[in-house]
């Protein structure tokens, strides 16, 4: 075999295979991680802001149950309080059932960061690899409710170290909202009781109508007219 044939028929294909394996290895290393992204946020740090958030909410409830039709009220939470509260909410069976949160989404973490929401989600690929087993997603977006209408705008999304096209993620989110939110009891309650939800630099602000919100929740959760939601809130407010 001549040297030219050796290069074309043996060395070049071998070099191509090595190059392909190298590229695939680099790609996998940049895409996969050994641990879920949510483990980077120690749960112990959430305890104090969770307690202060619950105190704020309890005080809000005491005022809310006394409101009549048409009254408005504002709930204000700091970023850390909001983070802790949402983290606990995603693990609550009642809340996740009511909001129809997909089972796999419960492994995620929603945060408020400098006025922008950030969703962290670790996808377990189901098997160990030399590069890890978790595909960690990071998504930054704006979420607002204006006159009961929810709107989400994707700003950035990454899978591992790679950027994902924003338009593709936006289309996926809108599809999921149609499947799991629009037309559901949760949307009905929000439309009737929530005036505005807005994230500012260091806090989240919720402007709502307490009477209408409680009445709408009772119609959805207590169709027999037992008014379980209002009675439960009244007990909490004592």
């Amino acid at each position: 075999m001549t040297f030219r044939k050796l290069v074309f028929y043996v060395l070049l294909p071998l070099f191509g295979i090595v190059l392909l394996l190298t590229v695939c290895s680099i790609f996998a290393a940049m895409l996969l991680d050994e641990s879920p992204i949510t483990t980077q946020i120690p749960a112990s740090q959430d305890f104090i802001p969770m307690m202060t958030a619950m105190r704020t909410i309890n005080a809000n409830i005491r005022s809310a149950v006394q409101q009549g039709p048409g009254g408005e009220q504002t709930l204000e939470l700091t970023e850390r309080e909001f983070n802790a509260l949402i983290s606990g909410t995603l693990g609550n069976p009642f809340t996740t059932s009511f909001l129809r949160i997909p089972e796999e989404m419960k492994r995620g973490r929603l945060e408020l960061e400098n006025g922008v929401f950030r969703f962290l989600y670790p996808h377990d690929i189901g098997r160990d690899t030399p590069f890890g087993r978790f595909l960690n997603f990071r998504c930054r977006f704006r979420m607002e409710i204006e006159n009961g209408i929810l709107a989400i705008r994707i700003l950035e999304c990454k899978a591992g170290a790679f950027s994902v096209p924003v338009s593709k993620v936006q289309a996926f989110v809108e599809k999921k909202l149609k499947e799991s939110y629009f037309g559901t009891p949760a949307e009905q309650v929000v439309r009737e009781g929530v005036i505005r939800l807005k994230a500012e630099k260091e806090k989240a602000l919720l402007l709502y109508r307490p009477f209408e919100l409680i009445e709408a929740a009772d119609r959805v959760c207590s169709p027999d007219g037992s008014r379980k939601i209002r009675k439960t809130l009244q007990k909490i407010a004592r």
Side-chain angles (χ1 to χ4, degrees), residues 44-56:
S44 59
Q45 293 184 1
D46 290 338
F47 179 74
I48 293 178
M50 172 67 83
M51 293 298 99
T52 59
M54 291 307 299
R55 282 199 294 268
T56 300

Side-chain angles (χ1 to χ4, degrees), residues 128-140:
D128 292 316
T129 73
F131 312 101
R133 66 178 291 157
F134 291 95
L135 176 56
N136 287 320
F137 289 94
R138 303 166 181 82
C139 188
R140 297 175 64 253

Side-chain angles (χ1 to χ4, degrees), residues 25 27-36 123-136:
S25 297
F27 181 82
M30 295 178 67
L31 192 64
L32 298 176
D33 293 294
E34 294 182 356
S35 60
H123 175 66
D124 188 346
I125 64 173
R127 61 181 181 276
D128 292 316
T129 73
F131 312 101
R133 66 178 291 157
F134 291 95
L135 176 56
N136 287 320

